[in-house]
Amino acid sequence: MTQITEETRQQLIQTAMEYRHRAYIPYSHYAVGAAVLAADGRIFGGCNVENASYGASNCAERTAIFKAVSEGMDRLLAIAVIGGPEGEEEQVSTEATPCGICRQVIREFADPETCEVIIARSSTNYRVMTLGQLLPDSFGPENLG
Ligand code: THU
C-alpha cells in the first residue's frame, strides 16, 4: 500500500461521489463516478459517458484518467470509484470494480504494488485493493524495454 492518508481517501471518495452525479447514462442507467490522485497531489474526477452507439461509451475511471493526463498528470497514486443504479445516492447497492480495459489504462500510469484502488459504496463503506491484486502479472510500459 502507499502512503495515502485516510483523509486523502475520503477526499477521493467524495470527489467520485460528486462526479457520479454528472454521469451521462441514458442507456444503462448505471451511474459511476471516479477520482484520480496524481503524484503531484492534484485530484481529478470523472463520470461514465455513454453513447447511442454503445461501444463508444467511456467508463468513469478512464474519463478521470484522460482528464488528468491531459492536464499534465505524470503518475497516478490512487483511484476511487463508486457506481450503482441511477437514483441511489449516499449509499449504492453495488460495487463498481474497474473493468478490464480500465485496469489496463490505470496500469499505464501506476505502480501495481502501491497504487490503491478504492472501491466504494459510500463514504464509510469501501475497500482498498492494490492495482496488482486487480491486475496480476500485468503488461506495462517497462515491458517494452
Ligand atoms: N462503468 C464504469 O464507468 N466503470 C466501472 O467500473 C464499471 C462500468 C460504466 C460503463 C457503462 O456506462 C455502465 O457503467 C454500465 O456498464
Side-chain angles (χ1 to χ4, degrees):
M1 291 287 166
T2 59
Q3 58 286 2
I4 291 175
T5 64
E6 191 52 37
E7 186 184 357
T8 302
R9 282 192 198 104
Q10 285 300 324
Q11 284 175 349
L12 288 169
I13 293 169
Q14 285 300 331
T15 303
M17 289 176 80
E18 282 167 30
Y19 275 80
R20 184 171 172 263
H21 291 123
R22 303 181 182 175
Y24 177 74
I25 48 169
Y27 308 106
S28 74
H29 301 284
Y30 188 83
V32 187
V36 160
L37 175 66
D40 63 12
R42 288 183 293 170
I43 290 176
F44 298 91
C47 60
N48 52 335
V49 182
E50 298 184 344
N51 193 280
S53 176
Y54 299 166
S57 300
N58 206 56
C59 291
E61 296 91 321
R62 275 175 287 149
T63 302
I65 292 167
F66 295 155
K67 280 179 60 183
V69 173
S70 67
E71 295 298 331
M73 181 185 75
D74 182 20
R75 301 297 292 168
L76 185 166
L77 299 185
I79 182 167
V81 57
I82 182 165
E86 192 173 31
E88 294 184 352
E89 290 297 329
E90 296 306 303
Q91 167 91 30
V92 295
S93 58
T94 62
E95 281 189 337
T97 48
C99 78
I101 295 171
C102 287
R103 292 178 197 200
Q104 184 64 32
V105 172
I106 297 167
R107 172 68 181 89
E108 186 70 19
F109 303 100
D111 177 348
E113 299 305 314
T114 58
C115 176
E116 286 194 13
V117 180
I118 302 159
I119 302 160
R121 287 177 55 179
S122 74
S123 61
T124 54
N125 183 357
Y126 61 90
R127 63 193 175 107
V128 181
M129 300 184 73
T130 64
L131 176 61
Q133 289 172 321
L134 284 168
L135 191 69
D137 298 326
S138 62
F139 186 91
E142 312 81 27
N143 294 85
L144 289 172

